[in-house]
PDB file of all heavy atoms in Angstrom:
ATOM      1  N   GLY A   1       0.846  -1.213  -0.015  1.00  0.00           N
ATOM      2  CA  GLY A   1      -0.019  -0.008   0.005  1.00  0.00           C
ATOM      3  C   GLY A   1       0.868   1.232  -0.021  1.00  0.00           C
ATOM      4  O   GLY A   1       2.092   1.188   0.112  1.00  0.00           O
ATOM      5  N   GLY A   2       0.231   2.367  -0.111  1.00  0.00           N
ATOM      6  CA  GLY A   2       0.972   3.662  -0.135  1.00  0.00           C
ATOM      7  C   GLY A   2       0.157   4.725  -0.777  1.00  0.00           C
ATOM      8  O   GLY A   2      -1.040   4.664  -0.906  1.00  0.00           O
ATOM      9  N   LEU A   3       0.884   5.677  -1.255  1.00  0.00           N
ATOM     10  CA  LEU A   3       0.250   6.887  -1.855  1.00  0.00           C
ATOM     11  C   LEU A   3       0.484   6.872  -3.373  1.00  0.00           C
ATOM     12  O   LEU A   3       1.582   6.556  -3.813  1.00  0.00           O
ATOM     13  CB  LEU A   3       0.884   8.199  -1.253  1.00  0.00           C
ATOM     14  CG  LEU A   3       0.388   9.506  -1.859  1.00  0.00           C
ATOM     15  CD1 LEU A   3      -1.049   9.706  -1.525  1.00  0.00           C
ATOM     16  CD2 LEU A   3       1.231  10.639  -1.268  1.00  0.00           C
ATOM     17  N   ALA A   4      -0.609   7.156  -4.079  1.00  0.00           N
ATOM     18  CA  ALA A   4      -0.519   7.185  -5.517  1.00  0.00           C
ATOM     19  C   ALA A   4      -1.333   8.378  -6.043  1.00  0.00           C
ATOM     20  O   ALA A   4      -2.246   8.811  -5.374  1.00  0.00           O
ATOM     21  CB  ALA A   4      -1.014   5.908  -6.214  1.00  0.00           C
ATOM     22  N   GLN A   5      -0.977   8.824  -7.215  1.00  0.00           N
ATOM     23  CA  GLN A   5      -1.752   9.893  -7.827  1.00  0.00           C
ATOM     24  C   GLN A   5      -2.883   9.320  -8.688  1.00  0.00           C
ATOM     25  O   GLN A   5      -2.751   8.133  -9.091  1.00  0.00           O
ATOM     26  CB  GLN A   5      -0.884  10.777  -8.759  1.00  0.00           C
ATOM     27  CG  GLN A   5       0.124  11.620  -7.988  1.00  0.00           C
ATOM     28  CD  GLN A   5       0.791  12.637  -8.866  1.00  0.00           C
ATOM     29  OE1 GLN A   5       0.939  12.389 -10.090  1.00  0.00           O
ATOM     30  NE2 GLN A   5       1.222  13.780  -8.336  1.00  0.00           N
ATOM     31  N   ALA A   6      -3.953  10.031  -8.819  1.00  0.00           N
ATOM     32  CA  ALA A   6      -4.991   9.570  -9.691  1.00  0.00           C
ATOM     33  C   ALA A   6      -4.462   9.136 -11.065  1.00  0.00           C
ATOM     34  O   ALA A   6      -3.640   9.877 -11.636  1.00  0.00           O
ATOM     35  CB  ALA A   6      -6.119  10.598  -9.807  1.00  0.00           C
ATOM     36  N   GLY A   7      -4.924   8.028 -11.545  1.00  0.00           N
ATOM     37  CA  GLY A   7      -4.405   7.499 -12.785  1.00  0.00           C
ATOM     38  C   GLY A   7      -3.165   6.635 -12.632  1.00  0.00           C
ATOM     39  O   GLY A   7      -2.714   5.953 -13.617  1.00  0.00           O
ATOM     40  N   GLY A   8      -2.644   6.590 -11.459  1.00  0.00           N
ATOM     41  CA  GLY A   8      -1.451   5.762 -11.205  1.00  0.00           C
ATOM     42  C   GLY A   8      -1.749   4.332 -10.875  1.00  0.00           C
ATOM     43  O   GLY A   8      -2.941   3.916 -10.953  1.00  0.00           O
ATOM     44  N   SER A   9      -0.718   3.601 -10.432  1.00  0.00           N
ATOM     45  CA  SER A   9      -0.876   2.174 -10.127  1.00  0.00           C
ATOM     46  C   SER A   9      -0.191   1.841  -8.825  1.00  0.00           C
ATOM     47  O   SER A   9       0.778   2.486  -8.353  1.00  0.00           O
ATOM     48  CB  SER A   9      -0.252   1.347 -11.292  1.00  0.00           C
ATOM     49  OG  SER A   9      -0.884   1.600 -12.495  1.00  0.00           O
ATOM     50  N   LEU A  10      -0.709   0.791  -8.222  1.00  0.00           N
ATOM     51  CA  LEU A  10      -0.073   0.203  -7.028  1.00  0.00           C
ATOM     52  C   LEU A  10      -0.354  -1.315  -7.143  1.00  0.00           C
ATOM     53  O   LEU A  10      -1.320  -1.745  -7.729  1.00  0.00           O
ATOM     54  CB  LEU A  10      -0.682   0.707  -5.750  1.00  0.00           C
ATOM     55  CG  LEU A  10      -0.279   2.091  -5.255  1.00  0.00           C
ATOM     56  CD1 LEU A  10      -1.147   2.456  -4.073  1.00  0.00           C
ATOM     57  CD2 LEU A  10       1.222   2.171  -4.917  1.00  0.00           C
ATOM     58  N   ARG A  11       0.597  -2.094  -6.578  1.00  0.00           N
ATOM     59  CA  ARG A  11       0.337  -3.559  -6.472  1.00  0.00           C
ATOM     60  C   ARG A  11       0.402  -3.996  -4.980  1.00  0.00           C
ATOM     61  O   ARG A  11       1.432  -3.725  -4.331  1.00  0.00           O
ATOM     62  CB  ARG A  11       1.370  -4.352  -7.276  1.00  0.00           C
ATOM     63  CG  ARG A  11       0.997  -5.791  -7.352  1.00  0.00           C
ATOM     64  CD  ARG A  11       1.950  -6.596  -8.227  1.00  0.00           C
ATOM     65  NE  ARG A  11       3.145  -7.023  -7.501  1.00  0.00           N
ATOM     66  CZ  ARG A  11       3.914  -8.043  -7.810  1.00  0.00           C
ATOM     67  NH1 ARG A  11       3.577  -8.855  -8.834  1.00  0.00           N
ATOM     68  NH2 ARG A  11       4.994  -8.302  -7.189  1.00  0.00           N
ATOM     69  N   LEU A  12      -0.684  -4.572  -4.551  1.00  0.00           N
ATOM     70  CA  LEU A  12      -0.712  -5.100  -3.187  1.00  0.00           C
ATOM     71  C   LEU A  12      -0.363  -6.618  -3.211  1.00  0.00           C
ATOM     72  O   LEU A  12      -0.634  -7.296  -4.162  1.00  0.00           O
ATOM     73  CB  LEU A  12      -2.124  -4.948  -2.637  1.00  0.00           C
ATOM     74  CG  LEU A  12      -2.716  -3.483  -2.617  1.00  0.00           C
ATOM     75  CD1 LEU A  12      -4.052  -3.515  -1.920  1.00  0.00           C
ATOM     76  CD2 LEU A  12      -1.769  -2.557  -1.997  1.00  0.00           C
ATOM     77  N   SER A  13       0.299  -7.019  -2.176  1.00  0.00           N
ATOM     78  CA  SER A  13       0.618  -8.438  -1.990  1.00  0.00           C
ATOM     79  C   SER A  13       0.013  -8.929  -0.719  1.00  0.00           C
ATOM     80  O   SER A  13      -0.124  -8.213   0.248  1.00  0.00           O
ATOM     81  CB  SER A  13       2.110  -8.679  -1.959  1.00  0.00           C
ATOM     82  OG  SER A  13       2.731  -8.215  -3.116  1.00  0.00           O
ATOM     83  N   CYS A  14      -0.315 -10.211  -0.749  1.00  0.00           N
ATOM     84  CA  CYS A  14      -0.832 -10.872   0.506  1.00  0.00           C
ATOM     85  C   CYS A  14      -0.185 -12.214   0.627  1.00  0.00           C
ATOM     86  O   CYS A  14      -0.447 -13.080  -0.177  1.00  0.00           O
ATOM     87  CB  CYS A  14      -2.370 -11.055   0.432  1.00  0.00           C
ATOM     88  SG  CYS A  14      -3.004 -12.034   1.778  1.00  0.00           S
ATOM     89  N   ALA A  15       0.767 -12.319   1.591  1.00  0.00           N
ATOM     90  CA  ALA A  15       1.452 -13.591   1.775  1.00  0.00           C
ATOM     91  C   ALA A  15       0.687 -14.336   2.796  1.00  0.00           C
ATOM     92  O   ALA A  15       0.430 -13.900   3.937  1.00  0.00           O
ATOM     93  CB  ALA A  15       2.916 -13.286   2.304  1.00  0.00           C
ATOM     94  N   ALA A  16       0.320 -15.571   2.385  1.00  0.00           N
ATOM     95  CA  ALA A  16      -0.475 -16.442   3.272  1.00  0.00           C
ATOM     96  C   ALA A  16       0.292 -17.616   3.759  1.00  0.00           C
ATOM     97  O   ALA A  16       1.171 -18.160   3.014  1.00  0.00           O
ATOM     98  CB  ALA A  16      -1.696 -16.945   2.486  1.00  0.00           C
ATOM     99  N   SER A  17       0.115 -17.979   4.982  1.00  0.00           N
ATOM    100  CA  SER A  17       0.787 -19.141   5.546  1.00  0.00           C
ATOM    101  C   SER A  17      -0.304 -19.942   6.374  1.00  0.00           C
ATOM    102  O   SER A  17      -1.227 -19.315   6.866  1.00  0.00           O
ATOM    103  CB  SER A  17       1.934 -18.769   6.456  1.00  0.00           C
ATOM    104  OG  SER A  17       1.564 -17.926   7.530  1.00  0.00           O
ATOM    105  N   GLY A  18      -0.080 -21.256   6.461  1.00  0.00           N
ATOM    106  CA  GLY A  18      -0.924 -22.029   7.237  1.00  0.00           C
ATOM    107  C   GLY A  18      -2.225 -22.462   6.552  1.00  0.00           C
ATOM    108  O   GLY A  18      -3.105 -23.040   7.194  1.00  0.00           O
ATOM    109  N   LEU A  19      -2.255 -22.265   5.215  1.00  0.00           N
ATOM    110  CA  LEU A  19      -3.450 -22.787   4.470  1.00  0.00           C
ATOM    111  C   LEU A  19      -2.969 -23.203   3.112  1.00  0.00           C
ATOM    112  O   LEU A  19      -1.927 -22.841   2.614  1.00  0.00           O
ATOM    113  CB  LEU A  19      -4.492 -21.683   4.408  1.00  0.00           C
ATOM    114  CG  LEU A  19      -4.181 -20.304   3.801  1.00  0.00           C
ATOM    115  CD1 LEU A  19      -4.242 -20.389   2.237  1.00  0.00           C
ATOM    116  CD2 LEU A  19      -5.198 -19.293   4.245  1.00  0.00           C
ATOM    117  N   THR A  20      -3.872 -23.951   2.439  1.00  0.00           N
ATOM    118  CA  THR A  20      -3.637 -24.394   1.106  1.00  0.00           C
ATOM    119  C   THR A  20      -4.485 -23.623   0.105  1.00  0.00           C
ATOM    120  O   THR A  20      -5.748 -23.636   0.238  1.00  0.00           O
ATOM    121  CB  THR A  20      -3.957 -25.898   0.992  1.00  0.00           C
ATOM    122  OG1 THR A  20      -3.175 -26.633   2.006  1.00  0.00           O
ATOM    123  CG2 THR A  20      -3.633 -26.434  -0.435  1.00  0.00           C
ATOM    124  N   PHE A  21      -3.892 -22.970  -0.774  1.00  0.00           N
ATOM    125  CA  PHE A  21      -4.650 -22.095  -1.730  1.00  0.00           C
ATOM    126  C   PHE A  21      -5.749 -22.883  -2.423  1.00  0.00           C
ATOM    127  O   PHE A  21      -6.878 -22.390  -2.540  1.00  0.00           O
ATOM    128  CB  PHE A  21      -3.748 -21.549  -2.826  1.00  0.00           C
ATOM    129  CG  PHE A  21      -3.180 -20.157  -2.449  1.00  0.00           C
ATOM    130  CD1 PHE A  21      -3.266 -19.627  -1.170  1.00  0.00           C
ATOM    131  CD2 PHE A  21      -2.532 -19.372  -3.468  1.00  0.00           C
ATOM    132  CE1 PHE A  21      -2.808 -18.362  -0.945  1.00  0.00           C
ATOM    133  CE2 PHE A  21      -2.052 -18.117  -3.139  1.00  0.00           C
ATOM    134  CZ  PHE A  21      -2.202 -17.634  -1.868  1.00  0.00           C
ATOM    135  N   SER A  22      -5.446 -24.096  -2.817  1.00  0.00           N
ATOM    136  CA  SER A  22      -6.431 -24.833  -3.677  1.00  0.00           C
ATOM    137  C   SER A  22      -7.726 -25.133  -2.958  1.00  0.00           C
ATOM    138  O   SER A  22      -8.746 -25.365  -3.580  1.00  0.00           O
ATOM    139  CB  SER A  22      -5.781 -26.125  -4.155  1.00  0.00           C
ATOM    140  OG  SER A  22      -5.446 -26.957  -3.042  1.00  0.00           O
ATOM    141  N   SER A  23      -7.707 -25.056  -1.653  1.00  0.00           N
ATOM    142  CA  SER A  23      -8.950 -25.342  -0.884  1.00  0.00           C
ATOM    143  C   SER A  23      -9.564 -24.111  -0.282  1.00  0.00           C
ATOM    144  O   SER A  23     -10.521 -24.281   0.557  1.00  0.00           O
ATOM    145  CB  SER A  23      -8.667 -26.442   0.202  1.00  0.00           C
ATOM    146  OG  SER A  23      -7.667 -25.912   1.114  1.00  0.00           O
ATOM    147  N   HIS A  24      -9.089 -22.975  -0.630  1.00  0.00           N
ATOM    148  CA  HIS A  24      -9.578 -21.746  -0.090  1.00  0.00           C
ATOM    149  C   HIS A  24      -9.982 -20.781  -1.169  1.00  0.00           C
ATOM    150  O   HIS A  24      -9.402 -20.779  -2.266  1.00  0.00           O
ATOM    151  CB  HIS A  24      -8.608 -21.062   0.870  1.00  0.00           C
ATOM    152  CG  HIS A  24      -8.419 -21.778   2.128  1.00  0.00           C
ATOM    153  ND1 HIS A  24      -7.718 -22.939   2.304  1.00  0.00           N
ATOM    154  CD2 HIS A  24      -8.937 -21.498   3.372  1.00  0.00           C
ATOM    155  CE1 HIS A  24      -7.745 -23.323   3.553  1.00  0.00           C
ATOM    156  NE2 HIS A  24      -8.520 -22.478   4.228  1.00  0.00           N
ATOM    157  N   ALA A  25     -10.907 -19.916  -0.846  1.00  0.00           N
ATOM    158  CA  ALA A  25     -11.159 -18.716  -1.648  1.00  0.00           C
ATOM    159  C   ALA A  25     -10.282 -17.607  -1.023  1.00  0.00           C
ATOM    160  O   ALA A  25     -10.234 -17.479   0.209  1.00  0.00           O
ATOM    161  CB  ALA A  25     -12.631 -18.345  -1.614  1.00  0.00           C
ATOM    162  N   MET A  26      -9.706 -16.780  -1.905  1.00  0.00           N
ATOM    163  CA  MET A  26      -8.878 -15.646  -1.498  1.00  0.00           C
ATOM    164  C   MET A  26      -9.568 -14.385  -1.983  1.00  0.00           C
ATOM    165  O   MET A  26      -9.879 -14.281  -3.146  1.00  0.00           O
ATOM    166  CB  MET A  26      -7.457 -15.760  -2.028  1.00  0.00           C
ATOM    167  CG  MET A  26      -6.690 -17.035  -1.653  1.00  0.00           C
ATOM    168  SD  MET A  26      -6.505 -17.214   0.142  1.00  0.00           S
ATOM    169  CE  MET A  26      -5.477 -15.689   0.490  1.00  0.00           C
ATOM    170  N   GLY A  27      -9.748 -13.497  -1.079  1.00  0.00           N
ATOM    171  CA  GLY A  27     -10.435 -12.245  -1.473  1.00  0.00           C
ATOM    172  C   GLY A  27      -9.737 -10.973  -1.007  1.00  0.00           C
ATOM    173  O   GLY A  27      -8.891 -11.046  -0.136  1.00  0.00           O
ATOM    174  N   TRP A  28     -10.081  -9.937  -1.678  1.00  0.00           N
ATOM    175  CA  TRP A  28      -9.653  -8.569  -1.279  1.00  0.00           C
ATOM    176  C   TRP A  28     -10.930  -7.751  -0.972  1.00  0.00           C
ATOM    177  O   TRP A  28     -11.867  -7.757  -1.745  1.00  0.00           O
ATOM    178  CB  TRP A  28      -8.881  -7.877  -2.352  1.00  0.00           C
ATOM    179  CG  TRP A  28      -7.431  -8.384  -2.538  1.00  0.00           C
ATOM    180  CD1 TRP A  28      -7.018  -9.311  -3.474  1.00  0.00           C
ATOM    181  CD2 TRP A  28      -6.302  -8.077  -1.818  1.00  0.00           C
ATOM    182  NE1 TRP A  28      -5.690  -9.540  -3.342  1.00  0.00           N
ATOM    183  CE2 TRP A  28      -5.218  -8.715  -2.341  1.00  0.00           C
ATOM    184  CE3 TRP A  28      -6.049  -7.121  -0.763  1.00  0.00           C
ATOM    185  CZ2 TRP A  28      -3.881  -8.621  -1.809  1.00  0.00           C
ATOM    186  CZ3 TRP A  28      -4.792  -7.001  -0.281  1.00  0.00           C
ATOM    187  CH2 TRP A  28      -3.686  -7.709  -0.822  1.00  0.00           C
ATOM    188  N   PHE A  29     -10.863  -7.109   0.145  1.00  0.00           N
ATOM    189  CA  PHE A  29     -11.923  -6.157   0.541  1.00  0.00           C
ATOM    190  C   PHE A  29     -11.269  -4.842   0.884  1.00  0.00           C
ATOM    191  O   PHE A  29     -10.099  -4.722   1.057  1.00  0.00           O
ATOM    192  CB  PHE A  29     -12.646  -6.718   1.728  1.00  0.00           C
ATOM    193  CG  PHE A  29     -13.514  -7.898   1.488  1.00  0.00           C
ATOM    194  CD1 PHE A  29     -12.988  -9.159   1.298  1.00  0.00           C
ATOM    195  CD2 PHE A  29     -14.920  -7.770   1.445  1.00  0.00           C
ATOM    196  CE1 PHE A  29     -13.804 -10.270   1.033  1.00  0.00           C
ATOM    197  CE2 PHE A  29     -15.707  -8.902   1.159  1.00  0.00           C
ATOM    198  CZ  PHE A  29     -15.137 -10.151   0.949  1.00  0.00           C
ATOM    199  N   ARG A  30     -12.076  -3.803   0.950  1.00  0.00           N
ATOM    200  CA  ARG A  30     -11.534  -2.512   1.280  1.00  0.00           C
ATOM    201  C   ARG A  30     -12.559  -1.766   2.132  1.00  0.00           C
ATOM    202  O   ARG A  30     -13.786  -1.973   2.054  1.00  0.00           O
ATOM    203  CB  ARG A  30     -11.197  -1.704   0.034  1.00  0.00           C
ATOM    204  CG  ARG A  30     -12.407  -1.282  -0.777  1.00  0.00           C
ATOM    205  CD  ARG A  30     -11.862  -0.583  -2.092  1.00  0.00           C
ATOM    206  NE  ARG A  30     -12.991  -0.137  -2.922  1.00  0.00           N
ATOM    207  CZ  ARG A  30     -12.843   0.403  -4.149  1.00  0.00           C
ATOM    208  NH1 ARG A  30     -11.624   0.572  -4.615  1.00  0.00           N
ATOM    209  NH2 ARG A  30     -13.847   0.772  -4.808  1.00  0.00           N
ATOM    210  N   GLN A  31     -12.002  -0.863   2.973  1.00  0.00           N
ATOM    211  CA  GLN A  31     -12.897  -0.037   3.801  1.00  0.00           C
ATOM    212  C   GLN A  31     -12.383   1.397   3.756  1.00  0.00           C
ATOM    213  O   GLN A  31     -11.260   1.747   4.182  1.00  0.00           O
ATOM    214  CB  GLN A  31     -12.858  -0.523   5.263  1.00  0.00           C
ATOM    215  CG  GLN A  31     -13.854   0.204   6.136  1.00  0.00           C
ATOM    216  CD  GLN A  31     -14.117  -0.483   7.496  1.00  0.00           C
ATOM    217  OE1 GLN A  31     -13.207  -1.301   7.883  1.00  0.00           O
ATOM    218  NE2 GLN A  31     -15.191  -0.207   8.092  1.00  0.00           N
ATOM    219  N   ALA A  32     -13.241   2.249   3.209  1.00  0.00           N
ATOM    220  CA  ALA A  32     -12.921   3.670   3.115  1.00  0.00           C
ATOM    221  C   ALA A  32     -13.375   4.346   4.423  1.00  0.00           C
ATOM    222  O   ALA A  32     -14.227   3.828   5.160  1.00  0.00           O
ATOM    223  CB  ALA A  32     -13.637   4.303   1.946  1.00  0.00           C
ATOM    224  N   PRO A  33     -12.816   5.498   4.785  1.00  0.00           N
ATOM    225  CA  PRO A  33     -13.214   6.158   6.010  1.00  0.00           C
ATOM    226  C   PRO A  33     -14.702   6.432   6.080  1.00  0.00           C
ATOM    227  O   PRO A  33     -15.283   6.974   5.146  1.00  0.00           O
ATOM    228  CB  PRO A  33     -12.366   7.503   5.935  1.00  0.00           C
ATOM    229  CG  PRO A  33     -11.228   7.174   5.112  1.00  0.00           C
ATOM    230  CD  PRO A  33     -11.747   6.172   4.059  1.00  0.00           C
ATOM    231  N   GLY A  34     -15.289   6.058   7.205  1.00  0.00           N
ATOM    232  CA  GLY A  34     -16.684   6.284   7.430  1.00  0.00           C
ATOM    233  C   GLY A  34     -17.595   5.392   6.642  1.00  0.00           C
ATOM    234  O   GLY A  34     -18.858   5.594   6.698  1.00  0.00           O
ATOM    235  N   LYS A  35     -17.086   4.335   5.987  1.00  0.00           N
ATOM    236  CA  LYS A  35     -17.899   3.471   5.211  1.00  0.00           C
ATOM    237  C   LYS A  35     -17.741   2.050   5.670  1.00  0.00           C
ATOM    238  O   LYS A  35     -16.766   1.686   6.403  1.00  0.00           O
ATOM    239  CB  LYS A  35     -17.548   3.560   3.713  1.00  0.00           C
ATOM    240  CG  LYS A  35     -17.889   4.922   3.124  1.00  0.00           C
ATOM    241  CD  LYS A  35     -17.697   4.925   1.668  1.00  0.00           C
ATOM    242  CE  LYS A  35     -18.088   6.268   0.979  1.00  0.00           C
ATOM    243  NZ  LYS A  35     -17.929   6.257  -0.472  1.00  0.00           N
ATOM    244  N   GLU A  36     -18.703   1.205   5.305  1.00  0.00           N
ATOM    245  CA  GLU A  36     -18.598  -0.217   5.521  1.00  0.00           C
ATOM    246  C   GLU A  36     -17.549  -0.851   4.663  1.00  0.00           C
ATOM    247  O   GLU A  36     -17.215  -0.418   3.573  1.00  0.00           O
ATOM    248  CB  GLU A  36     -19.943  -0.917   5.224  1.00  0.00           C
ATOM    249  CG  GLU A  36     -21.155  -0.414   6.045  1.00  0.00           C
ATOM    250  CD  GLU A  36     -21.060  -0.893   7.500  1.00  0.00           C
ATOM    251  OE1 GLU A  36     -20.649  -2.053   7.655  1.00  0.00           O
ATOM    252  OE2 GLU A  36     -21.330  -0.098   8.401  1.00  0.00           O
TER     253      GLU A  36
END
């Protein structure tokens, strides 16, 4: 994560341990200030 300008790009990573990818769903969620 970090700061980007509008129109720019970022790449997030999620390193997982203790589970097997093939038997799990992996998701990304986000929460903006004051929102669900």
